[in-house]
Amino acid sequence: MIKKILIANRGEIAVRVIRACREIGIATVAVYSEIDSDALHVQLADEAVCIGPASSRDSYLNIQNILSACVLTGADAVHPGFGFLSENSKFAKMCAECNIKFIGPNYDAIELMGNKAKAREIMKAADVPVVPGYEGKIEDENQALSIAKEIEFPVMIKAAAGGGGKGIRIAFNEEEFLSGYNTAKSEAKVNFGDDTIYIEKYIQHPKHIEIQIIGDEHGNVVHLGERDCSAQRKNQKVLEEAPSTVLTEETRNMMGEIAKRAAKAVNYNSVGTIEFLYESTGRFYFMEMNTRIQVEHPITEMVTGIDLIKEQISVADGNELSFSQDDIVLSGHSIECRINAEDPKANFRPCPGLIEAVNFPGGFGVRVDSAIYGGYKIPHCYDSMIAKLIVHGKTRNEAINKMKRALAEFAIEGVTTNIDFQYEILNSEEFVNGSYDTSFLTEKLVNR
Ligand code: ADP
Ligand code: ADP
Ligand code: MG
């Protein structure tokens, strides 16, 4: 039985995991970098260990220091959160070798799904529809260009090891392709230490629809419906909702069953997400699988009533899933707004700094997942997301009105945020009628 969990992360997701542990009676260990000594997750955990200097490479990505902290505190499991080491199969394997439970899927699943090109191959073999593309080895620029021409422009150039919207370029013609190929390659090298590239068809004006799944060690896999994450800027999610306005019950079940098939192909035994591109014709394609808890998991929790972190810990402990597919009932509508310390009026430049005061919204159906407080200084060296504002309403319309009310109550003094920008999204015609796709934010609200 898991008795003590070390959380190898920071910010709101570390707080989220600590909260779940406390409710189920598991002790917690926070780890932190030198610049994070005042962070909320450090204050909320039972114990805390400093694992190095501010730079992520030396702290939150420092496997040796994190494993030493486990040994030092007697933690018997590690929760990796999202980002950082969460999709690092080497880390998962090293945890196992040290007899520490990695709260995530088996490391072969991470390895196979972590590389987008390899994942495509596995999905094709499992009869899952993928975006038309080429996942073989690309030797050089010339070969890449002839592949692009064969697929036909426009194409998307992607870092195989990519994540967080980085290492992605769109090319509508040869010229854009050659420059995009080289910048994607160098961005991939810098961010992921792996410059493997692959090329797929650029789907125009799709929706991003993803299916939450969860599996256990006993071969059970259940899907928990979809999230619509089409409100994006620079291929990164800004606002998410569940359910999607465009799925019929029939399509939802079909996508859910395909997602389960994808998960079973790698003996998936934790929470995970299968991301799809969905065309207005109703055709959809597998895009990637994220083998970890997702940023926007709370909206699924709100419509299913299931605590995904508690269930993730339970299956990591060897238990069977506490529900079956027939037990899953989707109820009402949920929306999440990612609140970032950034300036939408200055090209979304990050705005770290001192939070002088903060007032969190509240009330029926409102949830705030955050690690900020009055007097907290947002460091410059990490992600700019400082809170997730989540609402749940009986209908989509109620959820929208609730979110607008909650955004208006959310007061943060000292740093600039995207709260007003989120308000604009909720007021836009495309969002209100539900027709918005992945280009809508950039085309309609950013580049006006
Ligand atoms: P989600 O897919 O859960 O919505 P994002 O794509 O927004 O999440 O990524 C969540 C966080 O994890 C961000 O801080 C992002 O920069 C980081 N991240 C995601 N994938 C990777 C990766 N492969 N390598 C490094 N960081 C990543
Ligand atoms: P990441 O690992 O960074 O999340 P993804 O492969 O999930 O990368 O792609 C990020 C976003 O880019 C998607 O949510 C989608 O909006 C867009 N995208 C990815 N592939 C395609 C494609 N082939 N055609 C159109 N848009 C795409
Ligand atoms: Mg993605």
Side-chain angles (χ1 to χ4, degrees):
M1 265 245 314
I2 296 175
K3 291 199 178 65
K4 191 190 267 194
I5 295 177
L6 180 140
I7 298 108
N9 214 301
R10 63 181 303 284
E12 66 82 23
I13 191 62
V15 170
R16 167 74 186 88
V17 175
I18 292 168
R19 285 177 172 152
C21 291
R22 174 117 334 141
E23 288 173 26
I24 48 185
I26 293 178
T28 53
V29 181
V31 293
Y32 62 98
S33 70
E34 282 164 10
I35 207 168
D36 267 346
S37 55
D38 292 332
L40 190 62
H41 73 286
V42 175
Q43 299 175 39
L44 292 184
D46 298 313
E47 292 169 75
V49 181
C50 182
I51 48 166
S55 147
S56 318
R57 217 190 38 204
D58 300 322
S59 49
Y60 299 105
L61 291 172
N62 187 329
I63 294 181
Q64 234 168 7
N65 287 5
I66 290 172
L67 290 178
S68 303
C70 285
V71 174
L72 195 76
T73 56
D76 47 14
V78 167
H79 196 299
F82 51 69
F84 296 124
L85 294 170
S86 61
E87 293 181 89
N88 186 316
S89 57
K90 191 178 119 203
F91 176 60
K93 201 165 190 168
M94 284 172 82
C95 286
E97 282 162 7
C98 298
N99 224 355
I100 295 162
K101 190 130 246 157
F102 176 80
I103 303 178
N106 64 80
Y107 44 77
D108 289 330
I110 305 179
E111 173 86 29
L112 293 168
M113 288 303 199
N115 181 298
K116 293 185 191 186
K118 265 194 239 165
R120 282 173 54 96
E121 278 180 52
I122 300 167
M123 290 304 100
K124 275 163 101 173
D127 238 358
V128 172
V130 301
V131 183
Y134 179 80
E135 57 277 339
K137 197 167 159 42
I138 298 176
E139 301 289 351
D140 56 35
E141 207 176 74
N142 288 334
Q143 189 204 357
L145 183 59
S146 62
I147 292 165
K149 284 181 176 159
E150 206 163 299
I151 297 171
E152 290 181 0
F153 290 113
V155 298
M156 204 141 191
I157 307 155
K158 281 193 191 179
K166 295 201 185 79
I168 294 182
R169 289 293 177 281
I170 303 166
F172 281 86
N173 53 48
E174 271 186 44
E175 202 183 320
E176 283 178 4
F177 181 83
L178 292 175
S179 74
Y181 176 78
N182 288 304
T183 48
K185 216 171 160 65
S186 51
E187 208 170 294
K189 186 87 202 164
V190 173
N191 284 291
F192 313 111
D194 174 354
D195 66 357
T196 313
I197 292 294
Y198 84 99
I199 303 165
E200 66 187 23
K201 183 87 185 162
Y202 175 61
I203 309 287
Q204 300 196 53
H205 293 284
K207 267 186 171 289
H208 171 123
I209 305 242
E210 57 184 37
I211 303 280
Q212 175 71 55
I213 57 110
I214 180 162
D216 62 24
E217 289 178 0
H218 311 279
N220 304 304
V221 181
V222 168
H223 82 82
L224 300 172
E226 82 283 10
R227 295 182 286 256
D228 188 328
C229 312
S230 306
Q232 300 186 353
R233 195 185 71 86
K234 290 199 155 173
N235 303 313
Q236 262 189 307
K237 299 159 189 167
V238 175
L239 172 157
E240 303 94 348
E241 64 175 321
S244 167
T245 55
V246 296
L247 291 201
T248 59
E249 190 57 31
E250 195 189 345
T251 316
R252 172 172 304 117
N253 289 337
M254 183 160 62
M255 288 179 97
E257 289 309 313
I258 289 176
K260 278 156 73 173
R261 204 155 75 219
K264 283 181 180 167
V266 291
N267 297 319
Y268 206 77
N269 56 329
S270 186
V271 293
T273 299
I274 318 277
E275 297 188 333
F276 294 97
L277 288 172
Y278 182 93
E279 287 181 317
S280 54
T281 55
R283 274 188 80 148
F284 56 87
Y285 310 92
F286 168 84
M287 186 163 44
E288 67 158 345
M289 176 168 192
N290 291 326
T291 55
R292 54 170 164 87
I293 192 74
Q294 201 99 344
V295 174
E296 57 276 18
H297 75 276
I299 58 174
T300 299
E301 300 185 318
M302 302 303 264
V303 295
T304 58
I306 291 168
D307 185 319
L308 283 169
I309 301 285
K310 284 186 191 166
E311 199 66 24
Q312 181 189 27
I313 293 171
S314 171
V315 295
D317 218 357
N319 297 314
E320 277 203 49
L321 280 177
S322 67
F323 44 78
S324 66
Q325 193 65 57
D326 291 341
D327 298 326
I328 307 302
V329 183
L330 302 181
S331 152
H333 200 94
S334 183
I335 303 176
E336 170 182 276
C337 285
R338 297 191 188 196
I339 308 301
N340 299 332
E342 64 187 15
D343 186 359
K345 295 201 172 72
N347 200 22
F348 296 85
R349 166 181 64 90
C351 298
L354 178 70
I355 295 180
E356 286 156 12
V358 55
N359 179 62
F360 290 123
F364 187 38
V366 175
R367 164 175 172 183
V368 183
D369 277 21
S370 176
I372 61 167
Y373 54 86
Y376 173 69
K377 191 159 182 264
I378 306 165
H380 60 279
C381 36
Y382 309 112
D383 210 84
S384 60
M385 189 176 80
I386 53 170
K388 302 188 306 206
L389 176 55
I390 303 120
V391 300
H392 183 253
K394 257 205 272 256
T395 61
R396 184 169 189 263
N397 199 31
E398 188 183 73
I400 292 176
N401 288 332
K402 206 180 277 275
M403 183 59 93
K404 288 205 269 192
R405 186 273 287 171
L407 284 169
E409 270 177 36
F410 206 155
I412 302 178
E413 272 169 42
V415 300
T416 308
T417 72
N418 64 342
I419 289 179
D420 292 347
F421 181 67
Q422 292 284 10
Y423 200 87
E424 276 185 62
I425 299 176
L426 292 159
N427 270 331
S428 68
E429 192 188 322
E430 290 84 350
F431 182 78
V432 172
N433 69 28
S435 68
Y436 67 107
D437 60 42
T438 57
S439 316
F440 131 87
L441 270 195
T442 307
E443 286 173 5
K444 297 285 164 58
L445 291 184
V446 178
N447 298 325
R448 274 168 297 188

